[in-house]
Amino acid sequence: MPRGKENAGDGADAERPSKRARCSVFGADHDDLVALLAQIGVEAPTVDAPADGGAPRFSMPGALECRMAAQRLASDDEARAGMIDGLRELWDASAQWLRVCLAPSRAADGGWGDSVVKVLLRVDALQSELIDALLEHVVSLSADGFETDVPLADSTPRLVLAHLRWLDAAVQPDALVAKLLQILPLCPPALQREVIALVPEVAEDAQQEHVIDTFQELMGQARAHAAPGARARAAPTR
């Protein structure tokens, strides 16, 4: 074999580990999402990056810069759909990846910045679909058990609700309130209390009466369901 070709082969082999090291921790199935995030300045955690507290972190130069870039990207329907579909697929693949998207990112100055979800929720064209995807995961994750005594950072359902509480403004407040009221009976009691506390904060003044009526209706249904059990426990045994 000619020497030049042998050297070229050695060089290609030497580059392979470096390329693998730069791969996203999410795996090749999510490369399209990683590429879209890179277009707005968000760098996905790589397999060789140091983890903080055992969890990988995104990196971004600045929340405002990335949000402006995301607004430009979301003006393209195909790119917007690709971002939403990519995030859904990532979160469906592992609840851990949802937690990574909700965690603070590494900032350019070495400190901590906003999470990827917090930045994207501030993009009007992404917000509503992103909220739908997040609340669907609140229901599915809490169905496996919801612990009230864990820190906020360790509870994915509570982190999602916290991100909604931190919204500067809801693009479609009616739809957000309707979605929260829809998932309310599907959540365990401890999480229901947190949803109930959140709804008045995100509802507009014109929605407050509807919210109160819905809460009263749900309470009436809960009492109706509890009554047969209470009567059965009170019945004398023979």
Side-chain angles (χ1 to χ4, degrees), residues 55-96:
R57 301 288 183 128
F58 282 95
S59 300
M60 65 176 74
L64 178 59
E65 178 182 341
C66 292
R67 178 167 65 87
M68 298 297 290
Q71 287 176 338
R72 292 191 294 270
L73 181 141
S75 64
D76 179 270
D77 289 343
E78 184 176 351
R80 178 192 56 75
M83 180 73 78
I84 295 296
D85 291 345
L87 288 169
R88 281 184 175 274
E89 291 170 4
L90 181 68
W91 300 341
D92 286 343
S94 172
Q96 177 190 1

Side-chain angles (χ1 to χ4, degrees), residues 42-148:
V42 175
E43 182 182 342
T46 56
V47 294
D48 64 330
D52 296 282
R57 301 288 183 128
F58 282 95
S59 300
M60 65 176 74
L64 178 59
E65 178 182 341
C66 292
R67 178 167 65 87
M68 298 297 290
Q71 287 176 338
R72 292 191 294 270
L73 181 141
S75 64
D76 179 270
D77 289 343
E78 184 176 351
R80 178 192 56 75
M83 180 73 78
I84 295 296
D85 291 345
L87 288 169
R88 281 184 175 274
E89 291 170 4
L90 181 68
W91 300 341
D92 286 343
S94 172
Q96 177 190 1
W97 300 146
L98 173 55
R99 183 84 59 84
V100 172
C101 292
L102 292 164
S105 62
R106 287 196 186 92
D109 61 4
W112 296 112
D114 289 343
S115 71
V116 169
V117 167
K118 188 171 184 178
V119 170
L120 296 180
L121 280 173
R122 291 174 174 166
V123 178
D124 289 356
L126 297 173
Q127 188 188 98
S128 295
E129 290 180 280
L130 195 57
I131 287 173
D132 285 348
L134 288 167
L135 291 180
E136 287 167 13
H137 280 82
V138 165
V139 174
S140 62
L141 292 173
S142 61
D144 297 330
F146 178 72
E147 300 178 0
T148 57

Side-chain angles (χ1 to χ4, degrees), residues 1-10:
M1 176 184 293
R3 185 66 182 171
K5 291 185 178 180
E6 182 180 347
N7 288 340
D10 291 345

